[in-house]
């Protein structure tokens, strides 16, 4: 199962950790893992390459773990963009959980 934990400080999402393979299908054919990975890559690319922020990303293929943390000291508009992206990601993963409850779990921590 893939577990995605969003780190929330007050009303601010400061980042997330995604751990584990969903187990929906064999590697290379797993649509749940592909959906999770694709959404995370889109979010990270938007934050870092489009908005030019320095979100810290750590990937461990061996542990099937991806972590992302937002930088501090963002401008109000940068913070709003980041919160919209991460909230959208959280909602998307919650919807994915509704479709595949045995393969993805979404937590707030």
């Amino acid at each position: 199962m893939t577990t995605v934990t969003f780190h929330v400080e007050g009303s601010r999402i400061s980042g997330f950790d995604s751990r584990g393979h969903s187990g929906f299908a064999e590697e290379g054919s797993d649509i749940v893992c592909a959906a999770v990975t694709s959404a995370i890559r889109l979010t990270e690319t938007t934050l870092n390459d489009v908005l030019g922020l320095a979100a810290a990303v750590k990937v461990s293929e061996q542990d099937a773990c991806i972590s992302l943390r937002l930088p501090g000291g963002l401008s109000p508009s940068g913070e709003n963009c980041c919160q919209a992206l991460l909230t959208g990601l959280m909602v998307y993963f919650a919807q994915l959980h509704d479709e595949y409850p045995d393969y993805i779990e979404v937590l707030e921590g």
Side-chain angles (χ1 to χ4, degrees):
M1 175 179 286
T2 298
T3 302
V4 183
T5 304
F6 285 87
H7 301 283
V8 180
E9 300 166 359
S11 61
R12 180 181 193 254
I13 302 170
S14 61
F16 63 85
D17 297 314
S18 174
R19 298 185 189 280
H21 292 287
S22 75
F24 181 79
E26 290 182 31
E27 187 176 328
S29 300
D30 192 322
I31 61 171
V32 177
C33 274
V36 169
T37 302
S38 180
I40 288 173
R41 290 185 71 182
L42 175 63
T43 301
E44 184 272 327
T45 300
T46 302
L47 290 171
N48 287 332
D49 298 334
V50 175
L51 296 175
L53 305 174
V57 179
K58 294 181 185 176
V59 177
S60 173
E61 289 185 29
Q62 182 178 6
D63 299 329
C65 179
I66 302 172
S67 297
L68 182 141
R69 296 295 181 275
L70 293 179
L74 296 172
S75 69
S77 63
E79 184 67 34
N80 287 339
C81 286
C82 289
Q83 292 308 304
L85 281 167
L86 291 179
T87 300
L89 185 65
M90 186 186 295
V91 169
Y92 173 72
F93 285 154
Q95 292 171 345
L96 200 57
H97 167 77
D98 290 345
E99 292 181 55
Y100 302 96
D102 296 331
Y103 303 99
I104 181 170
E105 181 175 40
V106 183
L107 305 171
E108 287 185 34

